[in-house]
Amino acid sequence: MAMKIGILGYGNLGRGVEKAVAANSDQELVAVYTRRDPAGVQIKTPGVKVLSADALEGGKEDLDVLILCGGSATDLPEMTPKYAALYNVVDSFDTHARIPEHFAAVDAAAKKSGHIGLISCGWDPGMFSVNRLYAASILPEGEAYTFWGRGVSQGHSDAIRRIEGVQDARQYTVPVPEALERVRSGERPELTTREKHTRECYVVAKEGADLKKIEEEIKTMPNYFADYDTTVTFITQEELDRDHKGLPHGGSVIYTGSTGENRHVVEYRLTLDSNPEFTGSVLAAAARAVSRLNKEGVNGAKTMFDIAPAYLSPMSGEEIRAHML
Amino acid sequence: MAMKIGILGYGNLGRGVEKAVAANSDQELVAVYTRRDPAGVQIKTPGVKVLSADALEGGKEDLDVLILCGGSATDLPEMTPKYAALYNVVDSFDTHARIPEHFAAVDAAAKKSGHIGLISCGWDPGMFSVNRLYAASILPEGEAYTFWGRGVSQGHSDAIRRIEGVQDARQYTVPVPEALERVRSGERPELTTREKHTRECYVVAKEGADLKKIEEEIKTMPNYFADYDTTVTFITQEELDRDHKGLPHGGSVIYTGSTGENRHVVEYRLTLDSNPEFTGSVLAAAARAVSRLNKEGVNGAKTMFDIAPAYLSPMSGEEIRAHML
């Protein structure tokens, strides 16, 4: 019998999860839950309901796993503990500094209710984290480098859009090729923020806006751009819609370690046409593991570190040993 | 208290495990066990005994995990079930077709004794397998490609050495750059054996040997060379000892998958100065997981698919969430 999946939130990530669940023959989408008016939300899966998030109250929905597709800033810190008290849940919480408190809150709620709350799932945090851990566990003497891109950073694009005179914007995070090559060579360089990534901004200005001022404001914005070599290119809305519509992303975790005089380089690299669709696919696979583990009696907060890879696969132990080992 | 590790077999892999255990502050090497005369075996760790394999009989040695460093052809099929009846064990069994029967034999012995027998650990099978599984679980619509090299294949080097007139040899497996690039581009090509890898052989001939005949015999050897573009270069023993002393290896698992019209490429790549030292490092990390899981009451045959990544790390859950997630 198919695993019953619910999705809370229908933005880019929610749509990515929907597509992933449709591709998983062992999973069935029960409903998409939304805090908006359900009548205004059109989903892609035929015959599946859109319901108000209120329907989730009291744990009355028949779900094996509820996948939470809210934002890390304000949604998930509240949502994940709340729903872990009622359902098995998976989220993609990515505010690094707040992971310990988020984990603790979800753990308390999930242990009390006997559910699993898998947090910080996706590719970073998520698959990148797992690869950092594998490499560091195998080669204790070594160092991990993470590069992101070339890809669209939605947070940085949003930051530009908030500047006065900006109509629309797309920001690409780009790893510096020389830095990548130095790290891949195994030399373990010390790299500053500026030496690792550059930022490319494509900006649509409002009519009559001061372009010089916009460019200056972007390039000097603390945290987001000031520490990077940033280029700003003004384009028309038509150009942005035509050439920058997608949400590609990716990057590399490169771990360079040694055993005495011998060097070893381990690289995990993603090149993704669609960041939310890949992330959604990781969440859907994680939901499979969560449902199984909970049926075995496991509960509490978990991360991808706690999931044996076999639990993510729809195949049996015999099948994966025969085909994947 | 440090985890007590034993090593059975002191060839290249046994020496790699020894070096890895020395680098792991939570592990302690108790002894190296050998089927040779212990008096003739010099190990690197100061103060550690070399004992006859006979000392392992009856399960009398005080070990948390015994790491089996024998060969897959004849040693491990017998060794792993035998010692899983007495100790927690880890092996690197890599004869693909025989994994199901090996797993079954180890599982029966380990379940009966209450131990864990982790089989087929290393990088392929091992970390490559885990990466094939993660990618296929995340993106069910897709295909995995595995490339090996550039690196020394000891099996192929041995096969050349068995030819009449050959004194010594080193064989490198080399991925075809064009094939790698086609796969990385996400196009999902169908590739023949010949299109994926070439084989470079460096051969020292005995005095007076028929070089033409040796080259012909190598290039037409079934399974090993006949299906590949193979180059044979005759060199002197001095050149071989000087330029081909190391055992570098590596390769890539490239999984190219899609979500509808969007393509995603996931690559896990290893570039290893020393194949046995990296493999030994994976076995040592796996031994850590095996010891912990057995203390939690887990037993039976396992593979890396069954090990949650957190068990491989010496760090606590709090630490890995704070530093690796």
Side-chain angles (χ1 to χ4, degrees), chain A residues 129 259 263 267 269 277 325, chain B residues 129 259 267 269 277 325:
Chain A
S129 322
T259 50
R263 292 203 291 203
E267 176 167 358
R269 173 155 54 154
E277 291 186 7
L325 203 56
Chain B
S129 321
T259 50
E267 176 167 357
R269 174 155 53 154
E277 290 186 7
L325 200 57

Side-chain angles (χ1 to χ4, degrees), chain B:
Chain B
M1 222 180 57
M3 207 170 275
K4 295 189 178 71
I5 306 290
I7 296 172
L8 175 55
Y10 199 66
N12 286 325
L13 180 58
R15 283 190 287 269
V17 172
E18 179 186 24
K19 210 164 172 180
V21 169
N24 288 338
S25 55
D26 61 338
Q27 298 186 326
E28 176 201 339
L29 182 62
V30 172
V32 168
Y33 303 89
T34 177
R35 292 174 295 175
R36 292 181 269 166
D37 176 5
V41 177
Q42 292 290 327
I43 68 170
K44 290 202 184 114
T45 318
V48 169
K49 298 164 290 187
V50 179
L51 299 174
S52 160
D54 296 339
L56 294 164
E57 299 295 327
K60 297 184 304 285
E61 291 292 285
D62 182 19
L63 301 174
D64 289 306
V65 185
L66 176 64
I67 302 181
L68 305 174
C69 301
S72 294
T74 55
D75 297 339
L76 297 174
E78 191 193 306
M79 266 184 189
T80 314
K82 172 180 171 175
Y83 292 108
L86 303 168
Y87 304 95
N88 292 314
V89 296
V90 174
D91 83 16
S92 61
F93 186 77
D94 67 358
T95 310
H96 190 272
R98 298 186 60 192
I99 285 175
E101 65 184 287
H102 188 59
F103 186 91
V106 174
D107 196 47
K111 280 201 173 124
K112 199 169 163 194
S113 70
H115 291 104
I116 292 177
L118 179 69
I119 68 159
S120 300
C121 187
W123 58 274
D124 197 6
M127 291 309 299
F128 272 20
S129 321
V130 158
N131 275 281
R132 285 186 283 261
L133 183 67
Y134 272 120
S137 302
I138 293 167
L139 299 170
E141 169 58 32
E143 197 163 337
Y145 295 82
T146 304
F147 290 91
W148 296 275
R150 187 175 195 263
V152 172
S153 164
Q154 298 188 64
H156 287 77
S157 301
D158 289 344
I160 299 172
R161 273 188 221 104
R162 285 192 292 266
I163 293 174
E164 201 189 312
V166 171
Q167 176 175 309
D168 205 348
R170 208 60 141 196
Q171 195 269 183
Y172 294 89
T173 306
V174 185
V176 174
E178 294 73 25
L180 264 175
E181 286 319 307
R182 285 181 66 193
V183 170
R184 281 190 184 125
S185 78
E187 66 165 283
R188 279 198 231 173
E190 290 218 22
L191 296 168
T192 63
T193 298
R194 191 177 300 274
E195 286 169 330
K196 285 183 73 186
H197 296 93
T198 54
R199 298 199 175 277
E200 293 176 9
C201 311
Y202 295 88
V203 181
V204 181
K206 288 183 184 157
E207 188 138 348
D210 182 343
L211 304 190
K212 270 271 160 264
K213 189 156 165 277
I214 290 173
E215 180 166 348
E216 182 66 15
E217 244 183 277
I218 294 173
K219 290 186 169 177
T220 58
M221 197 186 296
N223 302 318
Y224 285 87
F225 295 101
D227 298 335
Y228 298 86
D229 288 337
T230 301
T231 56
V232 176
T233 307
F234 289 96
I235 59 176
T236 66
Q237 186 72 52
E238 293 67 40
E239 287 169 323
L240 188 133
D241 294 342
R242 184 190 67 208
D243 304 331
H244 305 281
K245 205 176 52 139
L247 293 169
H249 218 314
S252 285
V253 169
I254 307 176
Y255 189 91
T256 141
S258 59
T259 50
E261 69 287 6
N262 288 313
R263 292 202 290 201
H264 312 288
V265 180
V266 181
E267 176 167 357
Y268 180 76
R269 174 155 53 154
L270 296 176
T271 311
L272 312 174
D273 272 0
S274 165
N275 180 359
E277 290 186 7
F278 185 81
T279 303
S281 298
V282 180
L283 297 185
R288 178 182 291 126
V290 162
S291 173
R292 288 180 175 169
L293 284 164
N294 189 245
K295 285 195 167 71
E296 292 182 8
V298 175
N299 61 47
K302 302 288 168 195
T303 70
M304 289 291 273
F305 297 146
D306 306 305
I307 309 294
Y311 282 92
L312 299 166
S313 172
M315 293 193 278
S316 71
E318 290 74 22
E319 287 173 311
I320 59 176
R321 285 192 296 275
H323 301 299
M324 301 271 167
L325 200 57

Side-chain angles (χ1 to χ4, degrees), chain A residues 32-246:
Chain A
V32 168
Y33 304 89
T34 177
R35 290 173 299 174
R36 293 182 268 167
D37 176 4
V41 177
Q42 292 289 329
I43 67 169
K44 289 202 185 114
T45 317
V48 169
K49 300 164 289 185
V50 179
L51 300 174
S52 160
D54 296 340
L56 293 164
E57 299 294 326
K60 298 185 302 287
E61 292 291 287
D62 182 20
L63 301 174
D64 290 306
V65 185
L66 176 64
I67 302 180
L68 305 174
C69 300
S72 293
T74 56
D75 298 339
L76 296 175
E78 192 194 304
M79 264 183 190
T80 314
K82 172 179 171 176
Y83 292 109
L86 304 168
Y87 304 95
N88 291 315
V89 297
V90 174
D91 83 16
S92 60
F93 187 76
D94 67 358
T95 311
H96 190 270
R98 298 186 61 193
I99 285 175
E101 65 184 286
H102 187 59
F103 186 91
V106 175
D107 196 46
K111 279 202 173 122
K112 200 169 162 190
S113 70
H115 290 105
I116 292 176
L118 179 69
I119 68 158
S120 301
C121 187
W123 59 275
D124 198 7
M127 291 308 300
F128 271 20
S129 322
V130 159
N131 276 281
R132 285 188 283 263
L133 183 66
Y134 272 120
S137 302
I138 294 167
L139 298 170
E141 168 58 29
E143 198 163 338
Y145 295 82
T146 303
F147 291 91
W148 297 275
R150 185 175 196 260
V152 172
S153 165
Q154 298 189 62
H156 288 78
S157 301
D158 289 345
I160 299 172
R161 273 187 222 106
R162 287 192 293 265
I163 294 173
E164 200 189 315
V166 170
Q167 176 173 307
D168 205 348
R170 208 58 141 199
Q171 194 269 181
Y172 294 88
T173 306
V174 185
V176 174
E178 294 72 24
L180 264 176
E181 286 319 307
R182 285 181 65 194
V183 170
R184 281 190 186 127
S185 78
E187 66 165 286
R188 281 198 229 174
E190 290 218 23
L191 296 168
T192 63
T193 298
R194 191 177 299 275
E195 286 169 329
K196 284 182 73 186
H197 296 92
T198 54
R199 299 199 174 276
E200 293 176 11
C201 311
Y202 295 88
V203 181
V204 181
K206 287 181 184 156
E207 188 136 350
D210 182 343
L211 303 191
K212 269 271 161 262
K213 188 156 165 280
I214 290 173
E215 180 166 346
E216 182 65 15
E217 245 184 275
I218 293 172
K219 290 185 170 178
T220 59
M221 195 185 297
N223 302 319
Y224 285 87
F225 295 101
D227 298 335
Y228 299 85
D229 287 337
T230 301
T231 55
V232 176
T233 307
F234 289 97
I235 59 174
T236 65
Q237 185 72 53
E238 291 69 39
E239 286 169 323
L240 188 132
D241 293 343
R242 185 191 65 208
D243 303 332
H244 304 281
K245 204 176 50 136

